[in-house]
């Protein structure tokens, strides 16, 4: 694990939020590489190695996937469903990172086997703290499956 | 004992409604008894007068047997209802006795001969005028024969002395009196009975008339329709009675003209179906029927009737019905309100959900980058400071726009101008004017089909529909070199509502996105302008107009057609 570049895949349509995540994580020196996708379709294309991502060497498996729920084209829940239904992609830890606190969304996310559900905090300090803890938990403490 | 006597003294046949026959029976019975008693007592007295001489006994014995036999013969005939025949027997028997009496008296001049007068009277009273005349003729002939016999010396010598003649005359006078009094008594009784019966009948008739009047008034003043149908010889139920309320409900002006009409032609269109079948079943099987039937269009109840049918007797039914249009309308209005409320509730839930997500999103951006601002300032990173301020400003602006549009969206369900009949082409024309800027900028050709229908709705809102759809079409034209938007109609749907469409030859929408595009703040392309509220707005307006909206597109770069339905101008209630 040490020495290997840690890869976080971020699926987030809002460029500002993506910037927030990337910048706070950089500040906390959490991730080595953050791969950012702005919609569900391109995220799935990457994971399923279709189109421009067809070369496996250019589309390595992420260690953890941060997924927003409301996405253009293919909805976050559908991306989640597609991942968890795929024999190959299922082991990838998927953390839902969204603004929605709706019970229905939480329930559905876990129903489709999300590994964690995080609500984006409103305050900057909390947001920053969450990104720090998130990185620490998933990239430092967590043991990953061999993909 | 008394009972036994009464039964055997009374005439054997009395079960008759005919007053005259009854009188004759009573009279004949009385006379029959009198004749029997007189002949028996006469014989016995003769036996005493002639001192029981055996020679007389041999003649009188058979006579006694004969008169008793006659008595029972007459009764038997009365029991058979042959009163006239019985009467004749009695008259002939008495006539024979009289003839014998005259013969033994020696001349038809004797008072016994006048006994025929009583026979003539009896025949008249018991039988009829003709019988009376026949008896008189017979008496005349008997007298004539006896007179000739006397003239030829064939009769025994004249016996009657002055006292004997007087006694016989007196007897005859009193027997005449007896006859007259008996018959007049019978007549009085019959008259009295007839009078009583007449009174009774009149009383019943009056009661019947009053009762009929009472029920007729009730039937005619009831606020429910009542009709009576009767099976005719072709097994069709035909109208026998129809009360004013029934006529009013069925719009019958002259109810008499409809009497005798078959049920099928009287049942209003709104009650067709198996109602006729069920009425016939009620008429034949007697099972009561109850049903509610109504006809409605565009949420307006045109007619509604609640009817029940009962069997009066085989092949005869009474149908009781009332106009329940108002009640049905209220029910429908209530159901519509509930449906609307449920839709609004669901909308509200979606709204809250969306707001919680979409309004929070820029807020996170603002607060997040505000946090970075402090850092930027500390680090003296002016470039990033400016770009962060830019992000904050943009997020704030976006939030403002979201709020404005949410407010707009929430208005649609509430503030709605009174709907009116609108020529759809005029709505289209006004809407196109409002978006002419975008159309010209992109050099889009717009075609409007001829013969767009009249629709029913809120003019300003329907304009917004067309405006948003055209705006949407222009936005997603893609790299189409010859952009074209076509607005037209595709006939009517199953409910008779007009189907309208806005078609473009732009980017098109892949089938899997076609449902999502109407969701609030859903955007297929994050980079396009707008907040994703336009199509939600359109859908909301169409739904408020009780319409549907859907999109048909063969996918990427095949253009798309937005179809929507709108109600026709509201029909007026017919009943």
């Amino acid at each position: 694990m040490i020495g290997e570049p840690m890869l976080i895949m971020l699926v987030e349509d809002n460029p500002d939020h993506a910037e927030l995540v990337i910048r706070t994580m950089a500040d906390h020196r959490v991730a080595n590489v953050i791969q950012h996708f702005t919609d569900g379709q391109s995220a799935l294309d990457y994971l399923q190695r279709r189109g421009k991502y067809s070369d496996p060497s250019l589309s390595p498996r992420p260690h953890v996937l941060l997924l927003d729920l409301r996405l253009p084209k293919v909805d976050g829940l559908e991306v989640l469903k597609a991942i968890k239904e795929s024999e190959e992609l299922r082991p990838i830890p998927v953390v839902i990172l969204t603004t929605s606190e709706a019970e229905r969304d939480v329930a559905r996310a876990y129903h489709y086997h999300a590994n964690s559900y995080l609500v984006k905090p409103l305050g900057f300090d909390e947001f920053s703290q969450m990104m720090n803890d998130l990185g620490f938990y998933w990239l430092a403490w967590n043991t990953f499956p061999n993909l | 004992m008394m009972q036994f006597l009464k039964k055997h003294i009374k005439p054997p046949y009395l079960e008759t409604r005919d007053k005259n026959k009854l009188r004759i029976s009573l009279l004949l019975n009385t006379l029959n008894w009198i004749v029997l008693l007189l002949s028996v007592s006469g014989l016995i007295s003769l036996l005493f007068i002639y001192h029981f001489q055996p020679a007389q006994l041999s003649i009188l014995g058979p006579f006694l047997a004969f008169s008793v036999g006659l008595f029972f013969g007459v009764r038997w005939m009365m029991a058979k209802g042959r009163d006239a025949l019985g009467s004749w027997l009695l008259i002939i028997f008495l006539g024979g006795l009289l003839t014998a009496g005259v013969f033994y008296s020696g001349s038809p001049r004797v008072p016994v001969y006048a006994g025929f007068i009583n026979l003539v009277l009896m025949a008249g009273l018991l039988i009829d005028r003709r019988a009376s005349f026949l008896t008189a003729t017979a008496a005349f002939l008997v007298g004539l024969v006896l007179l000739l016999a006397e003239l030829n010396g064939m009769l025994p010598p004249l016996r009657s002395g002055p006292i004997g003649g007087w006694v016989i005359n007196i007897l005859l006078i009193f027997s005449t009196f007896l006859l007259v009094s008996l018959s007049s008594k019978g007549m009085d009784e019959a008259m009295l009975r007839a009078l009583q019966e007449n009174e009774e009948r009149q009383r019943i008739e009056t009661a019947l008339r009053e009762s009929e009047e009472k029920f007729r008034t009730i039937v005619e003043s009831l606020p429910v329709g009542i009709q009576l149908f009767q099976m005719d010889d072709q097994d069709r139920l035909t109208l026998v009675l129809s009360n004013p309320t029934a006529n009013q409900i069925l719009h019958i002006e002259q109810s008499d003209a409809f009497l005798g009409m078959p049920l099928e032609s009287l049942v209003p269109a709104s009650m067709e179906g198996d109602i006729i079948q069920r009425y016939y079943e009620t008429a034949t099987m007697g099972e009561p029927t109850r049903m509610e039937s109504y006809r409605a269009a565009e949420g307006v109840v045109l007619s509604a009737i609640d009817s029940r049918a009962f069997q009066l007797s085989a092949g005869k039914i009474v149908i009781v019905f009332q106009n329940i249009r108002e009640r049905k309308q209220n029910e429908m209005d209530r159901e519509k309100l509930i449906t609307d409320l449920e839709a609004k509730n669901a909308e509200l839930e979606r709204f809250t959900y969306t707001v919680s997500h979409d309004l929070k999103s820029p807020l996170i951006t603002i607060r997040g980058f505000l946090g970075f601002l402090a850092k930027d300032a500390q680090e003296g990173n002016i470039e990033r400071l400016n770009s962060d301020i830019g992000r904050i400003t943009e997020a704030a602006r976006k939030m403002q726009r979201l709020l404005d549009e949410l407010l707009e969206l929430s208005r649609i369900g509430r503030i709605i101008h009174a709907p009116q009949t609108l020529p759809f082409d005029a709505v289209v024309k006004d809407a196109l004017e409002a978006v002419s800027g975008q159309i010209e900028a992109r050099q889009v050709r717009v075609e409007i089909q001829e013969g767009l229908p009249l629709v029913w709705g809120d003019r300003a809102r329907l304009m917004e529909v067309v405006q948003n759809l055209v705006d949407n079409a222009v936005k997603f034209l893609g790299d189409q070199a010859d952009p074209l938007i076509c607005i037209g109609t595709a006939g009517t749907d199953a409910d008779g509502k007009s189907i309208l469409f806005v078609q473009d030859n732009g980017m098109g929408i892949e089938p899997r996105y076609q449902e999502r595009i109407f969701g609030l703040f859903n955007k297929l392309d994050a980079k396009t302008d707008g907040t994703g509220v336009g199509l939600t707005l359109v859908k909301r307006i169409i739904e408020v107009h009780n319409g549907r909206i859907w999109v048909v597109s063969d996918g990427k770069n095949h253009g798309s057609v937005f179809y929507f339905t709108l109600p026709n101008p509201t029909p007026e209630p017919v009943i």
Side-chain angles (χ1 to χ4, degrees), chain B residues 175-225:
Chain B
S175 69
T176 308
F177 158 74
L178 189 70
L179 259 179
V180 169
S181 97
L182 276 176
S183 99
S184 80
K185 192 179 156 230
M187 267 201 277
D188 284 353
E189 270 175 17
M191 283 284 265
L192 194 67
R193 211 173 291 189
L195 221 64
Q196 279 172 349
E197 282 190 8
N198 200 31
E199 257 173 39
E200 176 72 8
R201 196 166 50 233
Q202 270 182 355
R203 207 180 53 75
I204 290 171
E205 270 173 15
T206 310
L208 204 67
R209 208 170 31 242
E210 274 172 8
S211 157
E212 214 216 75
E213 182 75 17
K214 189 166 73 191
F215 284 110
R216 200 162 53 92
T217 311
I218 291 171
V219 164
E220 288 192 350
S221 58
L222 275 179
V224 293

Side-chain angles (χ1 to χ4, degrees), chain B residues 173-353:
Chain B
I173 287 168
F174 274 98
S175 69
T176 308
F177 158 74
L178 189 70
L179 259 179
V180 169
S181 97
L182 276 176
S183 99
S184 80
K185 192 179 156 230
M187 267 201 277
D188 284 353
E189 270 175 17
M191 283 284 265
L192 194 67
R193 211 173 291 189
L195 221 64
Q196 279 172 349
E197 282 190 8
N198 200 31
E199 257 173 39
E200 176 72 8
R201 196 166 50 233
Q202 270 182 355
R203 207 180 53 75
I204 290 171
E205 270 173 15
T206 310
L208 204 67
R209 208 170 31 242
E210 274 172 8
S211 157
E212 214 216 75
E213 182 75 17
K214 189 166 73 191
F215 284 110
R216 200 162 53 92
T217 311
I218 291 171
V219 164
E220 288 192 350
S221 58
L222 275 179
V224 293
I226 294 176
Q227 286 189 328
L228 223 71
F229 286 91
Q230 195 171 4
M231 212 74 109
D232 67 2
D233 39 9
Q234 286 154 26
D235 282 345
R236 289 181 317 170
L237 284 170
T238 53
L239 186 65
V240 183
L241 181 148
S242 182
N243 78 342
T245 311
N247 298 341
Q248 192 196 327
I249 294 174
L250 299 177
H251 296 288
I252 293 175
E253 304 247 319
Q254 284 230 302
S255 67
D256 289 353
F258 284 84
L259 294 182
M261 293 240 316
L263 173 69
E264 290 83 347
S265 58
L266 282 165
V267 171
S270 61
M271 292 169 72
E272 273 168 15
D274 70 338
I275 185 99
I276 291 173
Q277 172 73 20
R278 285 178 62 177
Y279 285 167
Y280 271 94
E281 276 171 20
T282 300
T284 49
M285 326 253 215
E287 190 66 28
T289 294
R290 173 166 190 188
M291 78 191 291
E292 265 183 28
S293 47
Y294 72 99
R295 202 150 55 95
E298 305 286 357
V300 177
V301 178
L302 303 173
S303 62
I305 281 173
D306 174 19
S307 67
R308 292 152 212 240
F310 306 94
Q311 191 191 45
L312 286 178
S313 56
K316 232 183 212 180
I317 52 167
V318 59
I319 299 175
V320 181
F321 55 99
Q322 51 185 330
N323 189 355
I324 51 163
R325 198 188 69 73
E326 264 176 50
R327 201 191 80 199
K328 207 76 209 174
Q329 182 71 66
N330 288 342
E331 274 177 22
M332 270 185 81
D333 289 350
R334 200 184 59 216
E335 266 165 40
K336 187 180 178 303
L337 274 177
I338 290 171
T339 316
D340 287 357
L341 265 178
E342 278 170 353
K344 261 183 196 164
N345 253 340
E347 181 70 32
L348 198 68
E349 211 172 291
R350 275 208 302 280
F351 185 81
T352 325
Y353 170 78

Side-chain angles (χ1 to χ4, degrees), chain B residues 337-380:
Chain B
L337 274 177
I338 290 171
T339 316
D340 287 357
L341 265 178
E342 278 170 353
K344 261 183 196 164
N345 253 340
E347 181 70 32
L348 198 68
E349 211 172 291
R350 275 208 302 280
F351 185 81
T352 325
Y353 170 78
T354 310
V355 167
S356 73
H357 182 280
D358 290 76
L359 282 183
K360 242 172 91 181
S361 189
L363 205 58
I364 289 168
T365 306
I366 291 168
R367 292 193 59 173
F369 283 95
L370 276 175
F372 282 132
L373 273 190
K375 272 189 167 173
D376 294 339
Q378 272 173 8
E379 292 163 10

